[in-house]
Amino acid sequence: MAEPDGDDALVRSGSLPEYVYAQLRQDIFDMRLLPGDQITETEIAAYFKVSRTPVRQALQRLQNDGLMQGYVRGGWEIVPIDFKRFSDLYEMRKLIETHAVRRLCAQAGDQSVLAGLRASWCVPEQARELDGPKAAQLDEVFHQTLVRAAGNQEMADTFDRLTDRIRIVRRLDFLYGDCLHSTYEEHAAILDCIAAGDADAAQQIMGEHIDGSHAEVNQITLHRLHSARATATTKPPAYVSVRVRRSF
């Protein structure tokens, strides 16, 4: 990540916590910050040329996301990858989404939301989004839209928080996996089942879709973490005080 310019920081002063949060979060997602890396509020503030207050607010948000944990006197650590935790989150995701598609199959009302999804996903290969990060974002929108369309706001809010927590591994499937075309085909099949009111088939395809994604991201995450450790230089990012080498 390029060193921030002081003048730019002043321009952004109205949203400094958001800016620092977004930069650190992206470094975590891109594995420039690795699980076990330790940072301090003082070093982050010096790097971004801001006070410790917006830094603390940004780190607390990352902690709420499950990406960072505080330990002592302004010290913070990138949370180690917990595969059991991600397994639990994917199990919850499967429960919510299979329930959502069953409810949608039982509804005979407005199909405009599903029509919008069909316009994005039921398309020929040449019209598909091939950019990994953009496809990952579209994928999130697809699943969140289905859950919201089911009509349970509490479930939708829970699903949004869950989506935030698995994003760090889920997006790897689109960046380093081979899921893009199968994702289009499976999404289209789910939409077809909902349109036909076939709840059993919709639930089965959705469940298999989520289980396949979970298995793939587990494999990719392990590979990426080992590769990141093996290729990391001895000099960590400027704001990392200690790089802890751990096994996974």
Side-chain angles (χ1 to χ4, degrees):
M1 186 173 67
E3 181 121 3
D5 181 81
D7 292 336
D8 287 345
L10 290 174
V11 171
R12 292 187 298 266
S13 60
S15 59
L16 279 176
E18 176 67 32
Y19 176 73
V20 175
Y21 166 80
Q23 294 299 308
L24 295 179
R25 193 167 184 260
Q26 192 61 47
D27 278 351
I28 293 171
F29 285 165
D30 291 340
M31 292 189 179
R32 289 188 290 267
L33 282 173
L34 298 176
D37 281 351
Q38 296 174 3
I39 58 180
T40 69
E41 294 173 10
T42 300
E43 288 169 329
I44 294 289
Y47 180 78
F48 286 101
K49 300 179 175 65
V50 299
S51 71
R52 289 178 58 179
T53 298
V55 170
R56 187 176 302 114
Q57 292 171 348
L59 291 168
Q60 287 170 345
R61 281 190 64 187
L62 290 166
Q63 181 169 255
N64 291 337
D65 290 346
L67 299 174
M68 195 82 71
Q69 60 190 15
Y71 56 95
V72 64
R73 296 182 182 178
W76 297 77
E77 180 183 52
I78 313 304
V79 172
I81 294 292
D82 184 343
F83 286 96
K84 173 60 168 64
R85 175 173 172 269
F86 282 117
S87 179
D88 290 346
L89 289 169
Y90 266 89
E91 182 179 8
M92 183 182 296
R93 177 191 171 191
K94 185 176 177 179
L95 288 170
I96 291 174
E97 293 203 61
T98 53
H99 175 73
V101 295
R102 177 165 287 279
R103 287 193 64 169
L104 289 170
C105 287
Q107 295 172 0
D110 183 14
Q111 295 291 310
S112 61
V113 172
L114 298 182
L117 292 177
R118 294 187 69 86
S120 296
W121 294 99
C122 300
V123 296
E125 284 193 24
Q126 60 268 27
R128 294 174 178 176
E129 177 58 69
L130 301 181
D131 180 79
K134 291 180 181 178
Q137 186 174 11
L138 288 173
D139 177 67
E140 283 191 10
V141 170
F142 173 85
H143 291 278
Q144 288 173 311
T145 300
L146 288 182
V147 172
R148 291 193 192 102
N152 185 319
Q153 187 59 50
E154 291 297 325
M155 185 170 70
D157 291 343
T158 297
F159 187 75
D160 286 345
R161 291 192 294 271
L162 185 155
T163 297
D164 234 16
R165 282 160 173 72
I166 65 174
R167 184 175 293 119
I168 190 172
V169 295
R170 181 177 174 182
R171 71 196 296 269
L172 294 176
D173 203 7
F174 289 90
L175 296 178
Y176 305 107
D178 189 27
C179 74
L180 198 147
H181 291 295
S182 63
T183 296
Y184 270 89
E185 291 157 8
E186 290 163 13
H187 283 188
I190 291 166
L191 292 172
D192 286 343
C193 290
I194 294 172
D198 190 341
D200 290 340
Q203 285 190 297
Q204 180 179 345
I205 296 171
M206 179 64 84
E208 292 172 351
H209 177 65
I210 294 169
D211 287 342
S213 173
H214 182 204
E216 184 68 14
V217 298
N218 269 356
Q219 183 177 13
I220 293 171
T221 301
L222 278 170
H223 174 72
R224 289 288 298 168
L225 285 171
H226 283 300
S227 296
R229 288 296 186 195
T231 60
T233 63
T234 56
K235 182 180 179 182
Y239 51 85
V240 175
S241 57
V242 179
R243 169 149 283 173
V244 180
R245 297 198 173 272
R246 299 187 178 190
S247 60
F248 300 93

